[in-house]
């Protein structure tokens, strides 16, 4: 993709479920994060937070891109969120399948929808080809443990149990799989799982964040 217009207007098809507008963005995004001085966890930033920052010329360039990207999405009736992430909550529940965003998963929706992503700073998302992954619930050993956890028979009610707990949205990489990086500055549009989707959903995950690493500055819609 060479522009936002091309990114938003190109239909998914022929198995292609992720589109990227590659960009090398100028500006000092580290300064943005340093001036925000946010706490642990996921910190949502609104336009007022960005406008309130006193920045150098390079910081102002970075802020302009953060604001412009959101305006591009809002103009298409989307609802972007800009987050400064100092660590994700991990799934600590006992069970054979982790269901947090750091696990390979797909996004789902009841109607046609896409997910938009851009990492401006920090570790980036990873994607996985559909032929290099397998749903956890389709792995016999894992399904048997989930069935035992459910306490019933493998049927409609079990499928509802898997969906209710989001187990059916999470994937395991097969042996030899080669995840790919979404990169920094690139704007991505990836396919969700919804009724009638022309392509399989894009399998992806958020990076594991560790103490001492730079915060992640992420646009998601």
């Amino acid at each position: 993709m060479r522009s936002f217009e091309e990114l938003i207007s190109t239909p998914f098809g022929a198995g292609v479920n992720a589109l990227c507008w590659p960009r090398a963005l100028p500006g000092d995004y580290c300064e943005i994060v340093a001036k925000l001085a946010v706490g642990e966890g996921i910190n949502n930033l609104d336009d007022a937070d960005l406008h309130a920052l006193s920045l150098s010329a390079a910081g102002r360039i970075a802020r302009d891109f953060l604001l412009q990207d959101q305006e591009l999405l809002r103009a298409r009736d989307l609802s972007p969120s800009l987050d400064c992430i100092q660590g994700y909550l991990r799934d600590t529940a006992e069970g054979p399948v982790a269901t947090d965003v750091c696990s390979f998963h797909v996004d789902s929706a009841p109607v046609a929808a896409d997910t938009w992503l851009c990492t401006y700073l920090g570790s980036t998302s990873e994607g996985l080809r559909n032929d290099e992954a397998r749903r956890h619930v389709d792995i016999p050993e894992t399904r048997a443990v989930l069935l035992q956890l459910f306490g019933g028979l493998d049927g409609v009610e079990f499928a509802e149990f898997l969906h209710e707990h989001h187990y059916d949205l999470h994937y395991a990489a097969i042996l030899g799989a080669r995840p790919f990086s979404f990169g920094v500055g690139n704007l991505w549009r990836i396919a969700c799982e919804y009724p009638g989707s022309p392509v399989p959903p894009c399998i992806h995950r958020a990076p594991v964040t560790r103490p001492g690493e730079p915060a992640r500055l992420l646009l998601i819609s």
Side-chain angles (χ1 to χ4, degrees), residues 3-75:
S3 68
F4 179 79
E5 290 300 328
E6 187 176 0
L7 182 63
I8 198 170
S9 62
T10 301
F12 291 124
V16 176
N17 60 5
L19 298 171
C20 174
W21 177 19
R23 306 181 300 178
L25 299 180
D28 189 345
Y29 297 89
C30 289
E31 182 185 3
I32 298 281
V33 170
K35 290 290 181 68
L36 287 167
V38 297
E40 294 296 312
I42 301 175
N43 303 271
N44 180 252
L45 311 176
D46 59 28
D47 291 1
D49 294 325
L50 296 176
H51 282 299
L53 300 178
S54 177
L55 300 168
S56 67
R60 292 194 296 272
I61 290 172
R63 176 171 59 191
D64 288 345
F65 274 103
L66 297 176
L67 295 169
Q68 288 169 16
D69 280 351
Q70 292 181 83
E71 283 305 310
L72 286 172
L73 296 176
R74 289 171 184 151

Side-chain angles (χ1 to χ4, degrees), residues 135 137-138 143 146-147 150 152-169 193:
R135 287 198 314 170
V137 299
D138 295 328
R143 192 175 186 89
L146 289 169
L147 192 59
F150 169 62
L153 299 177
D154 193 338
V156 174
E157 291 184 353
F158 181 51
E160 292 174 349
F161 165 80
L162 297 177
H163 186 69
E164 178 184 350
H165 291 84
H166 311 297
Y167 293 132
D168 57 346
L169 299 179
E193 181 176 273

Side-chain angles (χ1 to χ4, degrees), residues 128 131-134 172-179:
L128 196 61
D131 60 1
E132 294 185 344
R134 191 177 182 189
I174 67 171
L175 185 65
R178 300 179 64 182

Side-chain angles (χ1 to χ4, degrees), residues 106-153:
V106 299
D107 299 332
S108 67
V111 297
D114 305 326
T115 295
W116 294 76
L117 292 166
C118 179
T119 300
Y120 301 95
L121 182 70
S123 301
T124 71
S125 299
E126 282 189 319
L128 196 61
R129 287 169 53 99
N130 293 74
D131 60 1
E132 294 185 344
R134 191 177 182 189
R135 287 198 314 170
H136 282 288
V137 299
D138 295 328
I139 300 172
E141 296 82 1
T142 304
R143 192 175 186 89
V145 176
L146 289 169
L147 192 59
Q148 186 177 28
L149 186 64
F150 169 62
L153 299 177

Side-chain angles (χ1 to χ4, degrees), residues 87-104 136 146 149 165-167 170 208:
Y88 288 102
L89 287 175
R90 302 302 306 273
D91 184 359
T92 58
E94 293 186 7
V97 179
T99 56
D100 56 58
V101 295
C102 297
S103 162
F104 277 119
H136 282 288
L146 289 169
L149 186 64
H165 291 84
H166 311 297
Y167 293 132
H170 288 260
V208 175

Side-chain angles (χ1 to χ4, degrees), residues 168-197:
D168 57 346
L169 299 179
H170 288 260
Y171 288 71
I174 67 171
L175 185 65
R178 300 179 64 182
F180 59 90
S181 171
F182 280 32
V184 173
N186 305 326
L187 184 59
W188 287 79
R189 176 179 147 235
I190 64 175
C192 295
E193 181 176 273
Y194 63 85
S197 174

